[in-house]
Amino acid sequence: MVVLAKPAALEQISLVRSPSVEDNFGAGLPVVDLAADGAAGEVVRACERFGFFKVVSHGVGEGVVGRLEAEAVRFFASPQAAKDAHGPASPFGYGSKRIGRNGDMGWLEYLLLAIDGASLSRSSPAPSSSLRDAANKYVGAMRGMARTVLEMVAEGLGVAPRGALADMVVGDGAASDQILRLNHYPPCPPLLQNLMPNCSPTGFGEHTDPQLISILHSNSTSGLQVALHHDADAGDHQWVTVPPDPASFLVIVGDSLQVMTNGRMRSVRHRVVANKLKSRVSMIYFGGPPLEQRIAPLRQLLVAGVGNGEEEEQSRYEEFTWGEYKKAAYLSRLSDNRLAPFHRQPPPVANPLA
Ligand SMILES: C=C1C[C@]23C[C@@]1(O)CC[C@H]2[C@@]12CC[C@H](O)[C@@](C)(C(=O)O1)[C@H]2[C@@H]3C(=O)O
Ligand SMILES: O=C(O)CCC(=O)C(=O)O
Ligand SMILES: [Fe+2]
């Protein structure tokens, strides 16, 4: 991967404002103030309607974010051979253009780091001790936010205990499956697209994240787009650009949270379009449960209506463990609908004329 700019210049000044930023989503972007009264209800509403939301008043210090971003910029600006020494990503480590093992390509380079408990795993070494230290502080902050958000999801859905979901990902004793990903999308100027092999507008192809939640931070370079829900499964997407905001985070609903809420919350398809002029740097925390965790709708959601004379709700999904789902995910292509094979067929509707 060619890095076109030195560290200090990675955040270049945009000469042309992308026409889609703000014009597309405008005031509709779901924003949740985590410190406000009623935040739990807002979190649930946003996850049900959009599958993602922007978080403000998150309490994460600028220094924690800035330090890791500076480390990421420094690493991505280092000589190619130094970066390659930490690759190829299999799945952890440094990767360039190749995403996963099944032929997906993007105009990016990245560092995938495994998390063990509350800090980076010693088995997927970080490129430097300063990056490791910064990443560990950042992971601590992301775990805190994951707990807050997942507790709010439980509270907002009326599920007890409050920690039912959060403990799966950030519980003290849980051998959960967390990942930290640092992405760098170099600019992809249209005039140079013919000259630069693999420079394409696709930074990161469309996909859903398989875990429960992802928490994304980016610098001020646009590129992230999300699919508005209605007919996403039918392939009828309306892509909208999410304006970048380095002061906030984006929480993204993953496939596993969709299943655990029996489809009330929907994992959201998203992708990154490479910026023509500026480098985009993003940092994403993925919160998954332990491998043996059963991924199935929370019991309290299925029986919620029973007291009111309603029948118990049936699960819309075949049962699986996170380990099984993860294995299947790693055999899939990025854009695959990974939940499709696990959808239960709805019971046949009785024919009143028969
Ligand atoms: C093509 C792939 C890359 C991915 C593993 C997969 O086979 C399908 C899911 C992809 C994804 C998307 C969200 C995260 O970025 C990621 C780390 C994950 O857990 O699932 C990536 C995987 C990857 O880049 O290795
Ligand atoms: O880089 C981004 O903004 C999003 C990347 C992403 O969706 C991912 O790494 O799964
Ligand atoms: Fe993603």
Side-chain angles (χ1 to χ4, degrees), residues 99-100 102 104 112 181 204 207 209-211 286 329-330 332 334 338:
I99 302 174
N102 308 310
D104 289 290
L112 265 170
R181 173 169 211 140
F204 204 115
H207 65 283
D209 294 345
Q211 295 81 358
F286 298 99
Y330 276 92
S332 69
L334 201 51
R338 280 175 275 283

Side-chain angles (χ1 to χ4, degrees), residues 193-239:
Q193 273 174 27
N194 295 336
L195 300 175
M196 288 200 290
N198 292 319
C199 168
S200 84
T202 304
F204 204 115
E206 66 172 276
H207 65 283
T208 59
D209 294 345
Q211 295 81 358
L212 273 89
I213 62 164
S214 315
I215 307 177
L216 185 154
H217 181 274
S218 82
N219 68 354
S220 58
T221 300
S222 65
L224 181 71
Q225 300 185 333
V226 295
L228 284 193
H229 263 147
H230 25 267
D231 283 325
D233 284 347
D236 180 19
H237 303 159
Q238 189 195 344
W239 288 104

